[in-house]
Amino acid sequence: MAPEDLQQLVRRRLWELARTVEEASRRSRWVIPADTIALMARKGGRSFISEGLAQFLARAIDVPENRVRRAAGLPPVGDERESITTRPHLRIIGKDGA
């Protein structure tokens, strides 16, 4: 993985969620300080997380842990949600109701 993948993920998710670094830090249960999250999201900087912090960063930016691990170049962990299949459950209804 490219070293900027984690930075792009953090930056994009903070923007998508309209979440400040302080809010993200609070969602990580204060394990990852707001200053550290700000450094991770900074363009042109370098970011690194250990395996133990991946789950807390994932919680902070509302993504599955394996997504953070993949962006950080860490090995994936087992996830019981992997086997869940989803598909769209939408129906198109015409003007006549059919």
Side-chain angles (χ1 to χ4, degrees):
M1 292 271 110
E4 62 274 350
D5 286 349
L6 181 60
Q7 293 164 324
Q8 289 174 355
L9 175 63
V10 172
R11 186 172 43 252
R12 186 179 69 245
R13 288 300 294 163
L14 289 175
W15 180 80
E16 288 172 351
L17 298 168
R19 187 171 289 167
T20 65
V21 293
E22 288 81 13
E23 291 170 330
S25 179
R26 181 181 51 78
R27 286 198 43 91
S28 77
R29 297 182 182 163
W30 306 109
V31 173
I32 304 175
D35 293 341
T36 303
I37 295 173
L39 287 173
M40 284 182 186
R42 183 175 297 151
K43 212 172 197 173
R46 295 201 62 128
S47 61
F48 170 79
I49 62 165
S50 66
E51 290 194 38
L53 291 179
Q55 67 178 336
F56 296 104
L57 181 58
R59 183 179 298 133
I61 60 174
D62 282 338
V63 296
E65 182 180 351
N66 279 331
R67 188 168 174 194
V68 170
R69 289 175 159 275
R70 189 171 43 249
L74 297 171
V77 294
D79 186 0
E80 64 276 353
R81 297 174 296 166
E82 284 178 330
S83 63
I84 298 173
T85 57
T86 59
R87 62 178 186 202
H89 296 285
L90 304 174
R91 291 188 336 217
I92 298 175
I93 300 175
K95 291 182 182 178
D96 60 355

